[in-house]
Amino acid sequence: MRLSVIGCGYLGAVHAAAMASIGHEVVGIDVDERKIASLSRGEAPFFEPGLTEILTEGIASGRLSFTTDMAAAAGAKVHFVGVGTPQQKDGYAADLTYVNAAIDGLLPHLSPGDIVAGKSTVPVGTAAGLAPRVHATGATLVWNPEFLREGWAVQDTIDPDRLVAGVPDADSDGEAANILREVYHPAVAKGTPFIVTDYATAELVKVAANAFLATKISFINAMAEIAEVSGADVTQLADAIGHDARIGRRFLGAGIGFGGGCLPKDIRAFSARAEELGRGESVGFLREVDAINLRRRERAVEITVSALGGAVFEKKITVLGAAFKPHSDDIRDSPALDVAVRLHGLGASVTVTDPAAIENARRAHPQLTYVEDRDEALRDADAVIVVTEWDEWRRDLSPEHASTLTAGRILVDGRNCMDAAAWRAAGWTYVGMGRP
Ligand code: UGA
């Protein structure tokens, strides 16, 4: 099928390449000339495992191309809209400027029978507002939220755990939904749940999922706060409650909390939208979720200061991690970098290393020192703090080896991902988050 993808950021670039990899003919369109030039050369503009491979294959096969010219969308059967919906500069609500611009730019190139499939995360009610403009061209608007995780984006797009299609009332599980089933044919053929809903439900599925994940993380971080004053161990607590299949162990990783381009802004936009709808109290707990999350960053700083005897001024601290999570170079709202910046603000001499995110981090926070080589970064450190759980230290750094490099023997584990017993046995002071 011929497809267009409007917006070639994280979501759009991966979607375009993944759709080409399952046999479609895809044009990706974006206003950013540099991004388009890089994608056209088969180079991913961000770090995402597996993306370069499917970009190169798609371009070589002739099924995948990129352009800044919106007119290239003409002739495609389905037009995916995957532009950003960032937090507004002066409030919590989502900024829909790019969604509106994408739809307006697309309208002149639509033909009757086309499908416009919105993938961006939007406040509930957005699709209903956009539909009349799309439907006036004879095309049909569907809302098809995306659940990909950075670091696993290619796999999540080709083989998602569910597909959701929000359709207009008139189409309830008709033509538009069937066309989307054809688009996602490999997943549909293997029995992936395909859920057809109205617009509002589809929009809410997306924000509800992210709100639930954020709540789960903040729940366990709240337990970490209690563990800290009662002497309990939050990781054992998470293991124990996680065995209950109704609870589940995933997303019960206590530490410095969640960040990234989605969870923080999505829970804030959800709160703002609920307020607009007169139901702010229904998701009032999301403010608490946000507050708990932000407190953990400060707590990691306190723990580090206290481990260093009450002051970090002129102490050499190596920060392991900058990305908001491993397998990503994304530093948007990164708790890891936030902790590094706060320690620097207290006068510490901070050296940051990260396998993928140094370039982005340096651009955002040039005041910190960045070292690519992990061992070089560890050299002469008074204390080490783990803030992103990359395998490069979680799995591959032994305390014995670290001891040959650092000056001090203090390890603060902001992700509870290191082997506490092994580090202690090697003579290190190990301090976790919510652990005795
Ligand atoms: C999140 C959702 O997981 C995806 O399903 C969704 O599609 C995506 O947002 C989106 O809306 O586009 P992502 O932002 O890639 O995906 O990252 P997650 O894997 O959800 O991690 C978010 C943050 O939570 C990271 O900072 C991570 O370190 C933190 N986290 C995660 C914890 O602190 N503890 C955990 O147990 C798990």
Side-chain angles (χ1 to χ4, degrees):
M1 201 183 292
R2 283 183 72 183
L3 312 175
S4 79
V5 178
I6 319 301
C8 294
Y10 222 104
L11 196 170
V14 173
H15 195 69
M19 291 299 107
S21 83
I22 59 169
H24 298 297
E25 193 182 313
V26 189
V27 59
I29 306 174
D30 199 291
V31 292
D32 184 337
E33 285 181 13
R34 274 185 42 207
K35 207 178 275 172
I36 290 299
S38 146
L39 287 165
S40 302
R41 289 192 302 271
E43 289 165 18
F46 44 82
F47 177 91
E48 182 61 43
L51 178 57
T52 307
E53 288 82 346
I54 58 169
L55 271 177
T56 324
E57 277 167 28
I59 292 167
S61 73
R63 285 197 307 274
L64 178 62
S65 61
F66 294 94
T67 176
T68 53
D69 182 8
M70 193 65 113
K77 179 71 181 167
V78 182
H79 309 268
F80 289 99
V81 176
V83 293
T85 51
Q87 187 177 330
Q88 279 178 10
K89 289 204 169 49
D90 53 356
Y92 271 10
D95 178 353
L96 295 178
T97 311
Y98 305 115
V99 172
N100 281 310
I103 296 286
D104 287 339
L106 190 55
L107 289 177
H109 309 293
L110 294 176
S111 303
D114 284 4
I115 305 289
V116 176
K119 292 200 83 63
S120 306
T121 302
V122 291
V124 58
T126 303
L130 297 170
R133 276 141 74 192
V134 174
H135 294 170
T137 67
T140 302
L141 178 69
V142 299
W143 215 263
N144 173 221
E146 180 57 57
F147 306 102
L148 65 79
R149 298 159 298 166
E150 293 187 17
W152 309 95
V154 172
Q155 180 195 320
D156 285 353
T157 305
I158 296 172
D159 188 15
D161 48 19
R162 80 287 209 190
L163 289 154
V164 175
V167 299
D169 290 347
D171 186 78
S172 55
D173 206 5
E175 178 72 6
N178 281 335
I179 291 172
L180 272 193
R181 283 191 180 91
E182 264 180 66
V183 170
Y184 295 113
H185 62 99
V188 171
K190 72 174 263 205
T192 303
F194 188 99
I195 301 155
V196 180
T197 68
D198 52 32
Y199 287 151
T201 307
E203 291 163 328
L204 273 177
V205 168
K206 170 69 197 192
V207 285
N210 276 0
F212 191 86
L213 293 172
T215 303
K216 204 169 172 190
I217 299 168
S218 276
F219 176 85
I220 202 65
N221 277 328
M223 295 306 108
E225 293 186 335
I226 303 298
E228 274 159 13
V229 291
S230 59
D233 184 331
V234 74
T235 59
Q236 285 189 315
L237 181 146
D239 290 343
I241 63 172
H243 282 299
D244 184 330
R246 294 169 303 174
I247 296 173
R249 180 63 173 85
R250 294 173 77 188
F251 274 67
L252 286 183
I256 59 169
F258 60 81
C262 303
L263 262 43
K265 81 150 168 77
D266 287 354
I267 60 169
R268 291 171 195 153
F270 195 8
S271 297
R273 184 64 184 137
E275 293 278 351
E276 284 170 13
L277 293 168
R279 283 288 181 276
E281 72 273 26
S282 303
V283 291
F285 64 92
L286 290 179
R287 304 222 170 227
E288 210 52 58
V289 164
D290 203 0
I292 293 166
N293 190 52
L294 295 175
R295 279 205 298 272
R296 298 313 286 164
R297 304 173 181 194
E298 191 50 43
R299 180 69 191 139
V301 172
E302 280 167 21
I303 289 174
T304 310
V305 171
S306 137
L308 277 162
V312 294
F313 188 70
E314 288 184 346
K315 289 277 167 59
K316 197 168 175 322
I317 301 178
T318 299
V319 175
L320 296 179
F324 84 107
K325 68 171 193 181
H327 313 292
S328 169
D329 67 353
D330 197 340
I331 55 144
R332 285 176 293 171
D333 207 339
S334 169
L337 261 187
D338 194 7
V339 168
V341 167
R342 287 173 198 229
L343 288 168
H344 173 83
L346 293 175
S349 157
V350 174
T351 301
V352 179
T353 188
D354 188 287
I358 286 188
E359 224 176 284
N360 287 339
R362 186 182 281 125
R363 220 171 296 130
H365 299 288
Q367 73 275 31
L368 305 178
T369 303
Y370 297 93
V371 174
E372 261 180 47
D373 183 75
R374 181 201 70 188
D375 286 2
E376 216 37 61
L378 285 168
R379 203 170 292 285
D380 300 330
D382 295 307
V384 178
I385 176 165
V386 172
V387 282
T388 313
E389 63 276 41
W390 285 98
D391 284 344
E392 279 74 355
W393 33 87
R394 187 187 62 82
R395 191 191 61 197
D396 301 340
L397 178 64
S398 73
E400 292 75 21
H401 180 63
S403 300
T404 66
L405 302 165
T406 57
R409 301 278 181 278
I410 296 169
L411 179 72
V412 178
D413 186 359
R415 291 292 183 182
N416 290 337
C417 64
M418 309 293 280
D419 183 343
W423 285 77
R424 285 189 179 131
W428 283 68
T429 300
Y430 169 97
V431 201
M433 303 279 297
R435 310 179 73 179

